[in-house]
Amino acid sequence: MKTSVFFITVLLNALSVGFFFTWSVSVILGTKKIGDLTYLETMQSINKEILNPVFFIVFFGSLITLILNAALQNNNKLMFWLLLTSAIIYLIGTFGVTAFGNVPLNNELDALDIKALNINELKNFRDYYESNWNQYHNIRTLSNMISFILLLISIFIQKLF
C-alpha cells in the first residue's frame, strides 16, 4: 500500500506542478498580448472551466496524498519530516494561496459585468486583477515546485535507508 500511495502522490504532484508551471510559461505570456476586454472575458471563461473533476482530483488529491504518505512513513523519521514539510508547503503555499488569493479574485471577476465597463474601467480592473492574480500564481507555483522537490528528495532518501 505504501508504494501505491507514494506513486499516486508523485503522479498527482507532478501533474499539479506541471500545470502551474505551464500556465506561467504559456497562458500568462499569451494573455499579456491581448486587449483588456478579451483578457477579462478569457479569464472569466477559464475560471469557470477549471472547476472540473480532473482539476479537483489533481489539486485536492496532491494535498491528501502528501498527508497520507507522510502518515504512512512511521518507520523512517527523515522521510516523514520531508513529506510532512512538503505537505505543509503545498497546504500553505499552493492550496492556501489559491483558496485565499486567486479564488477571491476569480470571484470578483465572475461577479463583474465586464460588458458594462468603459475602457478606463476595463483597464483599471485588468491591472488590479492581473497583477494580483499573477503574483499569487507565482507564489503557488514556486511553493508547488518546492513541495515537489522535497517529495523527489524523499524518494532518494527511501533508496538510501
Side-chain angles (χ1 to χ4, degrees):
M1 180 167 146
K2 276 186 182 180
T3 303
S4 296
V5 171
F6 209 97
F7 178 81
I8 292 167
T9 304
V10 171
L11 176 62
L12 290 175
N13 280 270
L15 291 170
S16 178
V17 74
F19 172 77
F20 289 129
F21 174 77
T22 301
W23 186 281
S24 295
V25 299
S26 61
V27 176
I28 289 175
L29 298 177
T31 56
K32 286 183 182 282
K33 297 179 178 173
I34 59 177
D36 299 333
L37 177 61
T38 303
Y39 172 82
L40 294 173
E41 287 175 331
T42 299
M43 290 304 290
Q44 276 184 337
S45 180
I46 290 171
N47 291 338
K48 287 182 178 100
E49 296 304 317
I50 197 70
L51 303 176
N52 67 69
V54 175
F55 177 77
F56 288 141
I57 288 168
V58 171
F59 186 67
F60 290 103
S62 293
L63 177 59
I64 292 166
T65 59
L66 277 168
I67 293 167
L68 180 59
N69 209 352
L72 290 173
Q73 299 305 323
N74 52 5
N75 61 338
N76 187 330
K77 287 188 182 204
L78 183 54
M79 274 192 64
F80 168 79
W81 286 109
L82 280 169
L83 292 167
L84 183 62
T85 303
S86 176
I88 291 168
I89 290 170
Y90 187 93
L91 173 66
I92 296 168
T94 304
F95 187 86
V97 167
T98 300
F100 297 107
N102 296 91
V103 170
L105 287 169
N106 293 345
N107 292 340
E108 275 186 69
L109 177 58
D110 188 49
L112 192 66
D113 181 5
I114 57 177
K115 301 278 189 200
L117 301 179
N118 66 40
I119 292 172
N120 288 333
E121 291 168 328
L122 285 171
K123 181 182 179 350
N124 289 339
F125 188 81
R126 178 193 180 155
D127 290 345
Y128 155 77
Y129 176 88
E130 186 175 30
S131 64
N132 287 301
W133 198 96
N134 287 347
Q135 181 180 10
Y136 289 132
H137 178 74
N138 290 336
I139 293 167
R140 70 181 178 182
T141 301
L142 182 61
S143 296
N144 203 178
M145 286 178 177
I146 293 168
S147 175
F148 187 66
I149 289 167
L150 291 173
L151 179 60
L152 293 178
I153 291 170
S154 74
I155 293 171
F156 294 108
I157 297 297
Q158 183 181 33
K159 293 284 186 189
L160 295 174
F161 297 101

